[in-house]
């Protein structure tokens, strides 16, 4: 794989930041996903919208409100066990249908709880819980002292501005902050004025546990958490296929064609359309297309790639 590391930067203490193992070079994220030990997607092919047995809404592959498989057998979706319990604090304005946090609850049901802020269960001992947030005092995942027997970790699912407000909540005071290595996102909803290291919630959960594994166990990472990205990888591949087939025609859709996000096996018409979209973006300022969180997006979805 042709990995392209981020430019070398330094951490708060002046030491060099470690190079990431994921990058945004065309085709490279696809290669990264291909390297994962993922459950087969075969049972998802040809899935249609069906009625959720619990809420009766029409859903495709899974219900993002009930966290159930819909229209596919339950065994079509893998099950992941996580070594720490995950609490996801979701801002109430974040749409369930757009959030990747629901992937974690669906795929690691016994290890994940999602709370709509300000709701959160009583905290007996915050020192046993980690908070994933890159504050100036945050400790790199690889440097955490795991002999302290942490039991859970909190992730915030919101815009960046909202996240900073949520982590100031006094109920979370006393939780050690942790941060992961800088990793390039593969998310299709680009955030306005934010670097490519701003991850979707499900990506942050995956990379935390992947980077935690060796420091915590002393063993090389063996792919045991890869399936937490199962639905993310499925959607990523669908979107790539839609673009490569030339089925994303609007200028809103073609934003993703810029900066190498789409790995085109391109026909000239698609490449020309991507160049045209780029020119429109320069003229109209479309690069500022999102206000923070992963649930806010201008323009239409690539409907063929939607699973909700």
């Amino acid at each position: 794989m042709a990995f392209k590391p981020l430019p070398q930067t330094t951490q708060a203490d002046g030491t060099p930041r470690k190079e990431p193992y994921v990058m945004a070079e065309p085709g490279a994220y696809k290669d990264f996903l291909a390297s994962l030990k993922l459950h087969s997607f075969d049972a998802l092919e040809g899935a249609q919208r069906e009625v959720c047995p619990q809420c009766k809404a029409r859903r495709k592959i899974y219900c993002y409100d009930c966290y159930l498989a819909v229209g596919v057998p339950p065994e079509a979706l893998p099950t992941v066990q996580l070594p720490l319990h995950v609490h996801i604090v979701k801002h109430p304005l974040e749409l369930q249908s757009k959030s990747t946090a629901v992937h974690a609850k669906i795929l690691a049901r016994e290890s994940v709880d999602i709370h709509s802020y300000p709701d959160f269960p009583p905290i007996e001992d915050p020192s046993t819980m980690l908070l994933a947030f890159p504050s100036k005092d945050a400790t790199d995942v690889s440097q955490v002292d795991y002999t302290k027997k942490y039991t859970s970790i909190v992730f915030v699912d919101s815009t960046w501005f909202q996240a900073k407000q949520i982590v100031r909540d006094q109920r979370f005071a006393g939780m050690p902050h942790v941060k992961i290595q800088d990793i390039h996102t593969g998310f299709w909803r680009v955030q306005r004025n934010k670097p490519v290291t701003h991850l979707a919630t499900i990506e942050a959960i995956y990379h935390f546990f992947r980077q935690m594994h060796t420091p915590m166990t002393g063993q090389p990472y063996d792919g045991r958490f890869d399936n937490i990205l199962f639905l993310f990888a499925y959607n990523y591949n669908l979107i790539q296929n839609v673009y490569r087939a030339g089925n994303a025609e609007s200028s809103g859709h073609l934003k993703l064609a810029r900066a190498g996000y789409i790995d085109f096996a391109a026909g000239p018409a698609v490449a020309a359309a991507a160049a045209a979209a780029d020119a429109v973006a320069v003229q109209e300022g479309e690069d500022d297309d999102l206000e923070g969180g992963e649930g806010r997006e201008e323009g239409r979805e690539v409907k063929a790639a939607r699973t909700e």
Side-chain angles (χ1 to χ4, degrees):
M1 289 178 284
F3 288 93
K4 180 181 179 182
L6 291 169
Q8 181 78 349
T9 58
T10 56
Q11 302 186 89
D13 61 2
T15 59
R17 187 180 297 280
K18 297 177 181 178
E19 291 184 347
Y21 46 84
V22 179
M23 64 288 114
E25 190 173 285
Y29 199 85
K30 180 185 70 174
D31 292 341
F32 160 68
L33 292 179
S35 74
L36 303 180
K37 297 178 180 179
L38 295 177
H39 189 69
S40 172
F41 296 131
D42 290 349
L44 276 55
E45 299 304 320
Q48 302 295 319
R49 289 183 182 273
E50 296 192 16
V51 175
C52 171
Q54 186 163 308
C55 70
K56 308 307 180 184
R58 288 181 61 80
R59 298 286 188 256
K60 184 177 178 182
I61 298 179
Y62 62 87
C63 178
Y64 47 76
D65 289 316
C66 304
Y67 313 121
L68 298 174
V70 177
V72 297
E75 59 269 21
L77 304 182
T79 299
V80 181
Q81 298 292 328
L82 301 175
L84 299 181
H85 196 82
V86 172
H87 292 281
I88 300 173
V89 181
K90 189 174 78 69
H91 192 278
L93 293 181
E94 291 297 309
L95 300 177
Q96 286 280 96
S97 61
K98 307 298 183 186
S99 172
T100 65
V102 301
H103 298 180
K105 181 60 177 177
I106 292 167
L107 300 171
R109 177 178 295 273
E110 300 303 318
S111 300
V112 176
D113 287 311
I114 298 179
H115 315 279
S116 182
Y117 186 79
D119 293 340
F120 199 83
I123 300 171
E124 294 183 3
D125 184 359
S127 68
T128 65
M129 304 174 71
L130 297 170
L131 176 60
F133 189 76
S135 63
K136 61 181 179 62
D137 297 322
T139 302
D140 189 278
V141 172
S142 64
Q143 302 301 315
V144 172
D145 181 3
Y146 293 106
T147 64
K148 293 185 176 181
K149 307 299 183 184
Y150 294 107
T151 60
S152 57
I153 180 167
V154 176
F155 290 88
V156 179
D157 184 44
S158 71
T159 67
W160 181 245
F161 176 75
Q162 293 161 349
K164 289 188 287 188
Q165 293 180 316
I166 290 173
V167 298
R168 294 191 190 107
D169 191 310
Q170 283 303 303
R171 291 175 294 176
F172 304 138
M175 293 183 187
H177 290 192
V178 295
K179 60 185 177 182
I180 63 177
Q181 280 187 46
D182 280 344
I183 299 294
H184 280 191
T185 183
F187 199 36
W188 44 92
R189 295 188 182 111
V190 183
Q191 298 188 47
R192 187 201 318 201
N193 297 329
K194 296 295 184 290
V196 294
T197 53
H198 278 236
L199 305 179
T201 301
I202 196 65
E203 291 180 295
I205 293 171
Y206 168 74
H207 288 297
F208 168 80
F209 283 106
R210 174 167 177 161
Q211 294 177 17
M212 181 200 75
H213 178 74
T214 297
M216 185 182 216
T217 67
Q219 301 297 318
Y221 179 67
D222 56 6
R224 67 182 61 193
F225 308 127
D226 289 0
N227 271 319
I228 204 73
L229 288 177
F230 176 77
L231 292 170
F232 187 89
Y234 179 75
N235 287 337
Y236 176 90
N237 289 330
L238 276 178
I239 290 170
Q240 293 286 329
N241 291 338
V242 167
Y243 275 83
R244 284 198 297 266
N247 294 330
E249 298 174 354
S250 75
S251 61
H253 294 163
L254 286 166
K255 293 177 196 175
L256 288 183
R258 303 198 304 275
Y261 183 85
I262 302 300
D263 181 28
F264 283 117
V270 177
D278 193 48
V280 170
V282 171
Q283 182 176 356
E284 298 182 357
E286 281 190 357
D287 282 339
D288 293 340
D289 57 358
L290 279 187
E291 185 65 44
E294 63 179 49
R296 313 282 181 81
E297 181 179 18
E298 287 184 359
R300 298 189 296 275
E301 293 288 338
V302 181
K303 292 185 180 178
R306 292 181 66 182
T307 58
E308 60 270 20

